[in-house]
């Protein structure tokens, strides 16, 4: 046994001090080198055990000359002596001990050199077989060298980056054990030899599997099976982990059926359940049915608990997430296989008995369903959500409602509207008054073209628990995409009402965007509601005016130009329908928006003057129409008139129709100053316009004046 580190170092120092002055007469130079080598190796190993790698390497460095002496003398001997066996065994011990220290200190290159030299010394030791070396001493030396190589390989195996070095150690160990004369071994030696060979084959199989050398790993498993007297039965009883290594190797070779057979044997053995679960999950990746088959075997043999079921579920879900093509809209085989296993009565009992694990299973199932839903694999998503629902207790009503809503959405995507309605009803039953359920019902009505139902849900959403303005914005987007303008307008009106009440401050959609969208939808209707369109324009004008500070520029130039263009085009549409009041009001709004734009170019002034003439004349004519005159808004009339006159005064009267337009506007202004544009005075004004052929000129100008929506003014 190795002494303690300080004692070993003191003994080593004393020995090295007396060595030059004392040499036993019966000791040969080879024996002396072996003795010194062993002393230094023992001292180095003692320092290594204390993690004193620098001191250990100092001892090993002192032993290097003696190692070279041993190699030289052994190779030069024509007759093998017992001292040669002892010296080579000591040489293997030195290189293994030095490699262990190098592994601990992280000296990768030194570790590789030591492994290589240890393997070479082991081969030299193996070559002494049959050369007349003392049998017992040689066997002991071979077994001792193999044990040291096996230990170093096992230690290196703990570091994933050192797989090449540990493979070299295991291969050297296996080669050394092969040449041991088994027939001459004592019972104890035979037992040690068999144990080390078993360990060596298992270690080799594990390293080959890790390096994806699947055929080499399978060969090691087969060699071990051939080594044991009982063959496959002995492997299953004594070394069940080998079945796992063999099955994984077969999987790597794309032989899942054979791997499943090994997995079934593994499930019935004494191997840890975790190994069986890992194999079942790996088999599930290759063939879901085979993976579930192994899991069923584990269940039947009583090895599974609720945590194990959750672990298996997590592994399978992770695999399916990593391979999205395995679970598509056309194939839900993985879901069918796994959910079939989870629906087994015994599995349900185990999970139900463990509340924490049952909750974890629910979360895994629901997350898997959400993943499939996102990937548009709706059949699989619905199955996962239904399985998640079955793992909930009666008291978990909120989660039950969440599952029901998810199932309803998946069913709706598959065109199964009746089932979607049923699950939406269940969601309302489990968790009444939740906004998500109301929004779900809204979507169902929308997709089924049930406009009254969709509008009704819009009206009830604001009273639901968890409501935010974002839901109303989503309703607008959903209905707009589904081309249901009536529903869109209802949602937009609700959203704008929320904005007015200050309940949509967190919403990223600004009020002008909501109004713009509403006006767009209105403008696309065949039966246009002129009053609502005017209301939107007035509210938009008010919002822009409210944000404008005296002396500053318009903060919404793009929106202002868009609203001006839209109002102008709507006025032309109203005129084509011979609607005087809407024509005048809408054209007046166009002029008012242009007045906010701040642009002073000639084209804008011309349009503003033309619009003012058209608006004022239409408003006056509407106010004098019989038998139902339209009330005239004096404030708006004066504002439009003022904007038109201001713009006309900035134009060159010698060009275009500027002079004529200005005369019209001055005439209107004179009329206001004289007696006011009342229904009684309007006929006289219009009669004067008709007598001078002004009205025909204005109509021509209206037909020619066009503004492209969104373009330059």
């Amino acid at each position: 046994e190795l002494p303690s580190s300080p004692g070993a170092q003191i003994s080593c120092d004393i020995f090295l001090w007396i060595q030059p002055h004392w040499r036993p007469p019966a000791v040969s130079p080879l024996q002396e080198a072996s003795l010194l080598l062993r002393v230094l190796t023992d001292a180095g190993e003692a320092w290594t055990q204390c993690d004193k790698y620098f001191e250990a390497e100092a001892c090993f460095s002192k032993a290097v000359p003696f190692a070279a002496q041993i190699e030289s003398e052994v190779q030069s001997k024509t007759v093998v002596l017992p001292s040669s066996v002892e010296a080579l065994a000591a040489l293997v011990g030195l290189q293994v001990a030095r490699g262990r220290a190098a592994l601990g200190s992280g000296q990768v290159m030194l570790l590789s050199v030591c492994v290589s030299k240890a393997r070479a010394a082991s081969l030299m030791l193996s070559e002494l077989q049959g050369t007349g070396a003392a049998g017992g001493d040689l066997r002991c030396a071979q077994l001792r060298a193999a044990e040291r190589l096996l230990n170093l390989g096992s230690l290196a195996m703990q570091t994933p980056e050192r797989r090449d070095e540990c493979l070299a150690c295991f291969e050297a160990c296996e080669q050394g054990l092969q040449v041991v004369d088994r027939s001459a071994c004592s019972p104890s030696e035979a037992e040690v030899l068999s144990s080390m060979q078993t360990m060596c084959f298992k270690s080799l199989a594990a390293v080959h599997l890790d390096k994806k050398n699947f055929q080499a790993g399978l060969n090691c498993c087969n060699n071990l099976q051939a080594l044991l007297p009982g063959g496959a039965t002995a492997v299953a009883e004594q070394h069940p982990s080998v079945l796992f290594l063999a099955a994984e190797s077969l999987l790597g070779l794309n032989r899942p059926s054979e791997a499943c057979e090994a997995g079934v044997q593994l499930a019935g053995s004494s191997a840890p359940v975790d190994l069986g679960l890992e194999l079942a999950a790996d088999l599930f990746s290759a063939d879901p049915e085979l993976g579930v088959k192994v899991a069923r075997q584990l269940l039947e043999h009583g090895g599974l608990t609720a945590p194990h079921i959750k672990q298996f579920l997590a592994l399978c879900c992770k695999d399916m997430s990593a391979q999205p093509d395995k679970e598509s809209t056309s194939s839900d085989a993985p879901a069918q296989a796994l959910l079939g296993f989870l629906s087994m009565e015994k599995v349900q009992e185990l999970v139900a008995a463990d509340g924490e694990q049952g909750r974890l299973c629910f979360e895994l199932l629901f997350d898997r369903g959400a993943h499939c839903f996102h990937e548009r694999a709706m059949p699989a998503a619905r199955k996962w959500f239904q399985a998640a629902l079955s793992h909930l207790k009666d008291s978990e009503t909120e989660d039950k409602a969440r599952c029901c809503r998810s199932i309803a959405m998946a069913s709706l995507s598959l065109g199964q509207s009746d089932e979607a309605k049923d699950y939406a009803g269940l969601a309302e039953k489990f968790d009444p008054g939740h906004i998500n359920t109301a929004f779900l019902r809204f979507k169902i009505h929308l997709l089924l073209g049930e406009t009254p139902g969709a509008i009704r849900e819009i009206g009830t959403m604001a009273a639901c628990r968890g409501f935010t303005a974002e839901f109303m914005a989503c309703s607008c987007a959903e209905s707009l995409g589904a081309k249901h303008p009536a529903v869109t307008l209802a949602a937009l009106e609700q959203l704008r009402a929320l904005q007015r009440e200050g309940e949509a401050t967190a919403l990223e959609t600004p009020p002008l965007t909501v109004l713009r969208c509403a006006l767009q939808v209105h403008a696309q209707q065949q039966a246009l509601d002129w009053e609502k369109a005017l209301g939107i324009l007035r509210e938009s004008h008010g919002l822009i005016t409210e944000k404008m500070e005296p002396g500053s520029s318009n903060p919404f130039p793009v929106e202002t130009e868009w609203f001006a263009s839209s109002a102008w085009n709507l006025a032309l549409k109203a005129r084509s329908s011979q609607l005087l009041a809407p024509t005048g009001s809408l054209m007046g709004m166009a002029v008012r928006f242009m007045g906010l734009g701040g642009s002073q170019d000639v084209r804008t002034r011309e349009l503003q003057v033309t619009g003012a003439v058209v608006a004022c004349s239409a408003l006056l004519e509407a106010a004098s129409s019989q038998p139902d005159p339209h009330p005239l808004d004096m404030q708006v009339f004066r504002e439009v008139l003022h904007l038109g006159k201001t713009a006309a005064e900035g134009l060159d009267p010698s060009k275009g129709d500027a002079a004529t337009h200005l005369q019209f506007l001055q005439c209107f202004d004179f009329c206001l100053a004289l007696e006011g544009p009342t229904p009684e005075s309007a006929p006289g004004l219009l009669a004067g316009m008709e007598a001078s052929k002004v009205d025909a000129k204005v109509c021509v100008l209206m037909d020619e004046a066009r503004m492209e929506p969104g373009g330059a003014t």
Side-chain angles (χ1 to χ4, degrees):
E1 296 182 6
L2 283 175
S4 65
S5 174
Q9 185 61 25
I10 293 170
S11 301
C12 176
D13 290 342
I14 293 175
F15 189 87
L16 292 175
W17 177 67
I18 67 171
Q19 184 266 337
H21 310 287
W22 172 78
R23 184 176 283 111
V27 175
S28 67
L30 184 59
Q31 289 175 314
E32 182 182 0
S34 300
L35 181 60
L36 291 169
L37 197 67
R38 288 204 308 276
V39 170
L40 291 166
T41 300
D42 287 349
E45 284 188 312
W47 284 118
T48 300
Q49 289 178 357
C50 297
D51 298 333
K52 301 287 186 178
Y53 301 116
F54 179 79
E55 292 84 350
E57 180 55 29
C59 295
F60 296 139
S61 298
K62 292 177 183 179
V64 170
F66 303 119
Q69 180 183 345
I70 290 173
E71 291 178 2
S72 176
E73 292 206 23
V74 169
Q75 290 174 353
S76 65
K77 297 290 184 181
T78 55
V79 178
V80 178
L81 302 174
S83 57
S84 301
V85 175
E86 183 181 350
L88 288 174
L91 186 57
V92 174
L94 168 68
Q95 299 301 343
V96 168
R98 195 179 189 188
R100 186 190 296 267
L103 183 63
S105 62
Q107 300 182 63
V108 179
M109 295 300 297
L110 180 59
L111 173 62
S112 299
V113 171
C114 292
V115 170
S116 178
K117 289 187 175 182
R119 184 172 186 175
S122 178
L123 288 174
M124 291 173 63
L125 191 60
S126 301
E127 290 170 358
L128 298 182
Q129 187 75 32
T131 59
D137 292 341
L138 179 59
R139 285 195 304 277
C140 288
Q142 289 172 330
L143 292 174
R144 191 162 62 248
E147 182 182 15
R148 286 171 170 168
L149 287 165
L150 189 61
N151 290 339
L152 179 59
S154 300
L155 189 64
M157 197 174 180
Q158 298 174 13
T159 307
E161 295 80 9
R162 303 279 70 82
R163 288 293 189 260
D164 291 336
E165 288 77 12
C166 70
L167 181 61
C169 289
F170 292 143
E171 287 178 342
C173 173
E174 193 264 337
Q175 290 171 354
L177 293 174
Q178 277 185 352
V179 299
V180 175
D181 187 358
R182 183 180 292 272
S183 61
C185 288
S186 64
S188 60
E189 289 176 336
E191 183 179 354
V192 171
L193 176 61
S194 178
S195 175
M196 282 201 293
Q197 282 185 312
T198 300
M199 182 65 69
C200 187
F201 281 130
K202 287 171 65 175
S203 301
L204 276 170
V207 177
H208 282 308
L209 183 62
D210 188 67
K211 292 173 68 67
K212 301 190 183 304
N213 298 330
F214 300 117
Q215 188 59 56
L218 184 60
N219 292 341
C220 292
C221 295
N222 292 335
N223 290 338
L224 177 57
Q225 181 175 319
L227 176 68
L228 298 177
T233 304
V235 169
E237 293 176 354
Q238 302 172 24
H239 307 284
S241 60
V242 176
L243 293 171
F244 171 79
L245 296 172
E248 291 287 355
S249 299
L250 287 165
L251 266 180
L253 294 170
N254 198 23
R255 293 155 65 179
S257 298
E258 296 174 67
C260 182
E261 293 176 8
V264 171
Q265 287 182 290
L266 180 67
S269 71
S270 59
V273 177
D274 289 346
L275 275 183
L277 282 178
E278 184 179 348
L279 176 60
D282 291 341
L283 270 168
F284 185 89
S285 177
D287 188 322
E289 290 292 343
L290 295 180
V292 168
K293 181 178 180 180
V294 172
R296 288 177 185 271
Q297 288 294 319
L298 289 167
L299 183 67
E300 290 177 6
H301 286 87
L304 287 187
T305 62
H308 289 136
I309 293 171
K310 191 275 299 183
Q311 180 185 351
F312 178 60
L313 175 60
L315 290 171
C316 293
C317 289
K318 182 180 179 181
D319 169 71
M320 286 186 286
S321 297
Q323 303 184 61
D325 58 315
K326 290 181 61 178
E327 191 171 34
S328 62
T329 54
S330 59
S331 172
D332 59 350
Q336 288 182 346
L338 186 56
L339 295 177
F341 170 73
L342 293 174
S343 64
M344 292 177 64
E345 184 177 354
K346 193 170 183 180
V347 173
Q348 295 276 356
E349 291 175 357
L350 287 170
V351 174
D354 191 326
E356 180 181 357
Q357 298 302 320
R359 180 68 191 178
L360 293 173
C361 286
F362 158 74
E363 290 174 357
L364 285 168
L365 291 165
F366 190 87
D367 289 347
R368 184 62 204 162
H371 174 81
C372 292
F373 191 93
H374 178 72
E375 297 295 328
R376 310 301 299 169
M378 294 304 171
R382 185 172 56 180
K383 283 181 169 40
W384 290 112
F385 289 137
Q386 288 171 335
L389 181 61
S390 69
H391 279 74
L392 290 171
K393 298 178 181 178
D394 292 340
S395 59
E396 297 175 301
T397 53
E398 290 186 7
D399 286 322
K400 282 195 169 189
R402 185 156 61 110
C403 284
C404 288
R405 287 192 293 266
S406 301
I407 297 169
M409 289 301 297
S411 300
L412 200 61
S413 299
L414 294 171
Q416 299 175 1
S417 55
D418 290 339
E419 182 174 311
K421 285 184 176 180
D422 291 341
Y423 275 102
L426 285 174
E428 181 65 23
K429 176 183 176 182
F430 288 130
D431 191 11
H434 198 283
I435 179 59
N436 288 335
T437 307
F439 187 68
L440 170 63
R441 291 197 301 266
F442 164 76
K443 291 192 69 171
I444 293 174
H445 287 307
L446 193 66
L447 293 176
L448 294 178
E450 299 172 355
T451 300
I455 294 176
R456 184 177 62 252
E457 293 298 339
I458 285 175
T460 60
M461 278 188 197
C464 291
R465 187 176 70 261
F467 172 79
T468 64
E470 193 67 43
F471 282 95
M472 202 57 69
C474 291
S475 301
C476 298
E478 292 277 354
S479 56
L480 193 60
K483 297 182 179 179
H484 285 281
V487 181
T488 304
L489 290 173
L492 287 168
E493 288 174 5
Q494 287 283 347
L495 182 58
R496 186 65 196 109
L498 291 169
Q499 289 179 328
R500 293 191 200 100
E501 295 167 6
E503 297 182 14
T505 54
L507 192 67
E508 294 183 1
T509 307
L512 283 176
T513 302
V514 175
L515 292 168
R516 180 172 175 173
C517 183
L519 188 60
Q520 282 180 315
V521 178
H522 270 295
Q524 293 168 4
Q525 304 306 299
Q526 289 184 350
L528 181 61
D529 190 329
W530 300 103
E531 285 302 319
K532 285 190 175 181
L534 273 168
I536 293 171
L537 288 167
R538 292 188 186 110
E539 186 174 3
S540 303
H541 185 273
L543 286 173
I544 296 174
T545 306
E546 182 184 339
K547 296 295 183 180
M548 290 180 65
E549 297 181 0
S552 62
S553 60
N554 185 349
F556 306 105
V558 176
E559 290 84 352
T560 301
E561 182 177 346
W562 186 89
F563 280 114
S565 173
S566 299
W568 186 288
N569 290 327
L570 285 173
L572 296 180
K573 187 174 182 180
R575 180 184 176 277
S576 67
S577 301
Q578 298 181 350
L579 300 172
L580 294 173
T583 300
S585 299
L586 289 166
M587 191 60 77
M589 288 305 308
V591 172
R592 295 173 70 191
F593 275 111
M594 283 188 278
L596 298 177
S599 175
Q600 299 298 319
D601 60 275
V602 174
R603 177 60 177 161
T604 303
R605 290 177 180 274
E606 290 176 347
L607 288 171
Q608 201 168 4
V609 172
T610 303
V613 172
V614 173
C616 290
S617 61
L619 288 171
L620 286 172
E621 189 171 355
S624 65
S625 61
Q626 296 298 332
D628 297 314
H630 190 276
L632 184 64
D633 189 331
M634 289 296 299
Q635 183 178 353
V636 173
F637 187 89
R638 291 180 184 277
E639 181 183 353
V640 173
L641 184 59
H642 172 72
L643 289 170
K645 285 177 59 181
T646 303
E649 290 168 356
L651 294 175
D652 185 351
S654 64
K655 295 182 179 180
D657 299 307
T660 305
H661 287 173
L662 183 57
Q663 288 176 6
F664 291 154
L665 295 171
Q666 289 173 339
C667 181
F668 296 149
D669 198 20
F670 176 77
C671 177
L672 286 174
L674 187 64
E675 54 182 316
T678 62
E680 292 75 19
S681 63
L685 176 63
L686 291 174
M689 292 173 62
E690 289 174 358
S692 59
K693 306 299 181 183
V694 170
D695 190 47
K697 185 87 171 182
V698 171
C699 294
V700 172
L701 290 171
M702 283 183 64
D703 290 335
E704 292 178 350
R706 294 288 187 272
M707 293 176 64
E708 292 297 326
T713 306

Tab-separated table of all heavy atoms in Angstrom, residues 350-366:
chain	number	residue	atom	x	y	z
A	350	LEU	N	-50.745	6.353	-11.749
A	350	LEU	CA	-49.468	6.802	-11.196
A	350	LEU	C	-49.362	8.320	-11.199
A	350	LEU	O	-48.921	8.936	-10.224
A	350	LEU	CB	-48.311	6.189	-11.997
A	350	LEU	CG	-48.039	4.697	-11.792
A	350	LEU	CD1	-47.039	4.194	-12.827
A	350	LEU	CD2	-47.505	4.446	-10.387
A	351	VAL	N	-49.763	8.933	-12.315
A	351	VAL	CA	-49.647	10.385	-12.432
A	351	VAL	C	-50.644	11.081	-11.509
A	351	VAL	O	-50.315	12.091	-10.862
A	351	VAL	CB	-49.861	10.820	-13.895
A	351	VAL	CG1	-49.884	12.331	-14.002
A	351	VAL	CG2	-48.753	10.257	-14.781
A	352	ALA	N	-51.862	10.536	-11.425
A	352	ALA	CA	-52.880	11.160	-10.582
A	352	ALA	C	-52.501	11.107	-9.107
A	352	ALA	O	-52.860	12.002	-8.326
A	352	ALA	CB	-54.225	10.478	-10.807
A	353	ALA	N	-51.762	10.063	-8.728
A	353	ALA	CA	-51.375	9.909	-7.322
A	353	ALA	C	-50.279	10.880	-6.904
A	353	ALA	O	-50.046	11.087	-5.716
A	353	ALA	CB	-50.917	8.469	-7.065
A	354	ASP	N	-49.588	11.460	-7.876
A	354	ASP	CA	-48.492	12.390	-7.584
A	354	ASP	C	-48.864	13.751	-8.174
A	354	ASP	O	-48.714	13.997	-9.372
A	354	ASP	CB	-47.184	11.874	-8.195
A	354	ASP	CG	-45.967	12.651	-7.714
A	354	ASP	OD1	-46.100	13.870	-7.484
A	354	ASP	OD2	-44.881	12.052	-7.574
A	355	GLY	N	-49.380	14.635	-7.335
A	355	GLY	CA	-49.879	15.922	-7.825
A	355	GLY	C	-48.829	16.748	-8.532
A	355	GLY	O	-49.079	17.344	-9.583
A	356	GLU	N	-47.614	16.775	-7.966
A	356	GLU	CA	-46.556	17.598	-8.562
A	356	GLU	C	-46.178	17.084	-9.945
A	356	GLU	O	-46.067	17.863	-10.899
A	356	GLU	CB	-45.333	17.597	-7.651
A	356	GLU	CG	-44.177	18.439	-8.189
A	356	GLU	CD	-42.967	18.398	-7.285
A	356	GLU	OE1	-43.037	17.764	-6.207
A	356	GLU	OE2	-41.933	18.984	-7.664
A	357	GLN	N	-45.995	15.768	-10.059
A	357	GLN	CA	-45.621	15.195	-11.355
A	357	GLN	C	-46.768	15.310	-12.350
A	357	GLN	O	-46.559	15.514	-13.548
A	357	GLN	CB	-45.208	13.726	-11.185
A	357	GLN	CG	-43.996	13.520	-10.303
A	357	GLN	CD	-42.782	14.268	-10.812
A	357	GLN	OE1	-42.519	14.323	-12.011
A	357	GLN	NE2	-42.030	14.854	-9.888
A	358	GLY	N	-48.004	15.186	-11.862
A	358	GLY	CA	-49.157	15.365	-12.747
A	358	GLY	C	-49.195	16.764	-13.321
A	358	GLY	O	-49.500	16.967	-14.502
A	359	ARG	N	-48.865	17.746	-12.491
A	359	ARG	CA	-48.832	19.130	-12.967
A	359	ARG	C	-47.745	19.317	-14.018
A	359	ARG	O	-47.941	19.982	-15.038
A	359	ARG	CB	-48.574	20.057	-11.777
A	359	ARG	CG	-48.523	21.534	-12.137
A	359	ARG	CD	-49.879	22.023	-12.555
A	359	ARG	NE	-49.806	23.355	-13.151
A	359	ARG	CZ	-50.834	24.007	-13.633
A	359	ARG	NH1	-52.030	23.450	-13.596
A	359	ARG	NH2	-50.696	25.202	-14.166
A	360	LEU	N	-46.587	18.712	-13.771
A	360	LEU	CA	-45.482	18.810	-14.734
A	360	LEU	C	-45.857	18.144	-16.059
A	360	LEU	O	-45.526	18.652	-17.138
A	360	LEU	CB	-44.221	18.173	-14.152
A	360	LEU	CG	-43.600	18.910	-12.950
A	360	LEU	CD1	-42.458	18.096	-12.362
A	360	LEU	CD2	-43.100	20.283	-13.372
A	361	CYS	N	-46.549	17.015	-15.965
A	361	CYS	CA	-46.992	16.338	-17.194
A	361	CYS	C	-47.963	17.227	-17.970
A	361	CYS	O	-47.885	17.324	-19.201
A	361	CYS	CB	-47.651	15.002	-16.856
A	361	CYS	SG	-46.489	13.707	-16.356
A	362	PHE	N	-48.875	17.863	-17.255
A	362	PHE	CA	-49.813	18.772	-17.919
A	362	PHE	C	-49.064	19.875	-18.663
A	362	PHE	O	-49.364	20.189	-19.816
A	362	PHE	CB	-50.765	19.394	-16.895
A	362	PHE	CG	-51.386	20.674	-17.361
A	362	PHE	CD1	-52.390	20.668	-18.322
A	362	PHE	CD2	-50.946	21.903	-16.877
A	362	PHE	CE1	-52.949	21.858	-18.779
A	362	PHE	CE2	-51.495	23.087	-17.326
A	362	PHE	CZ	-52.499	23.063	-18.280
A	363	GLU	N	-48.094	20.475	-18.017
A	363	GLU	CA	-47.363	21.578	-18.639
A	363	GLU	C	-46.609	21.110	-19.880
A	363	GLU	O	-46.577	21.813	-20.905
A	363	GLU	CB	-46.397	22.189	-17.625
A	363	GLU	CG	-47.112	22.945	-16.509
A	363	GLU	CD	-46.170	23.425	-15.427
A	363	GLU	OE1	-44.958	23.111	-15.520
A	363	GLU	OE2	-46.625	24.109	-14.487
A	364	LEU	N	-46.017	19.920	-19.798
A	364	LEU	CA	-45.308	19.382	-20.965
A	364	LEU	C	-46.273	19.132	-22.120
A	364	LEU	O	-45.982	19.461	-23.277
A	364	LEU	CB	-44.588	18.086	-20.586
A	364	LEU	CG	-43.309	18.234	-19.758
A	364	LEU	CD1	-42.872	16.882	-19.221
A	364	LEU	CD2	-42.192	18.838	-20.604
A	365	LEU	N	-47.420	18.543	-21.800
A	365	LEU	CA	-48.406	18.244	-22.844
A	365	LEU	C	-48.959	19.528	-23.461
A	365	LEU	O	-49.087	19.638	-24.683
A	365	LEU	CB	-49.545	17.407	-22.254
A	365	LEU	CG	-49.189	15.971	-21.857
A	365	LEU	CD1	-50.261	15.379	-20.973
A	365	LEU	CD2	-48.955	15.108	-23.081
A	366	PHE	N	-49.260	20.496	-22.611
A	366	PHE	CA	-49.816	21.750	-23.138
A	366	PHE	C	-48.779	22.487	-23.986
A	366	PHE	O	-49.097	23.018	-25.059
A	366	PHE	CB	-50.285	22.640	-21.990
A	366	PHE	CG	-51.068	23.830	-22.450
A	366	PHE	CD1	-52.430	23.749	-22.638
A	366	PHE	CD2	-50.431	25.032	-22.729
A	366	PHE	CE1	-53.164	24.841	-23.089
A	366	PHE	CE2	-51.145	26.135	-23.179
A	366	PHE	CZ	-52.513	26.030	-23.361
